[in-house]
Amino acid sequence: MSEHGKKMIAPVVVTLLVGAYFGGYLGLVIWSKPPRIVSILFFIVTAALLGVLLFVCIQRLKEIRSGEEDDLSKY
């Protein structure tokens, strides 16, 4: 595995774990059969959070590939 490959594992694992948590939470809310508007609202919020989570993960993987592992060194 390349030197960047090992550093890319953590963001992917964290993204998968948090995504599974959000998915489980959404499933639990829908399983409890709340009113339809509540289900739709939870679905929209969860989908937005998953979208942001995926965007941040992809952005972090691009940073790792380009060699910017330590963003704090800029400041």
Side-chain angles (χ1 to χ4, degrees):
M1 185 173 266
S2 70
E3 86 179 64
H4 294 303
K6 291 180 182 178
K7 294 178 182 178
M8 294 166 69
I9 293 173
V12 172
V13 169
V14 169
T15 300
L16 290 174
L17 289 174
V18 173
Y21 175 77
F22 285 154
Y25 185 71
L26 179 64
L28 184 65
V29 167
I30 291 175
W31 180 71
S32 67
K33 299 187 190 250
R36 185 176 303 267
I37 189 72
V38 174
S39 295
I40 292 171
L41 182 64
F42 270 97
F43 178 79
I44 291 171
V45 170
T46 304
L49 288 172
L50 287 172
V52 170
L53 181 69
L54 186 62
F55 174 77
V56 169
C57 181
I58 291 170
Q59 185 179 12
R60 180 65 184 142
L61 293 177
K62 286 180 184 178
E63 287 177 358
I64 291 172
R65 283 189 191 122
S66 69
E68 295 180 30
E69 290 100 15
D70 186 13
D71 290 337
L72 293 176
S73 64
K74 295 179 186 178
Y75 303 104

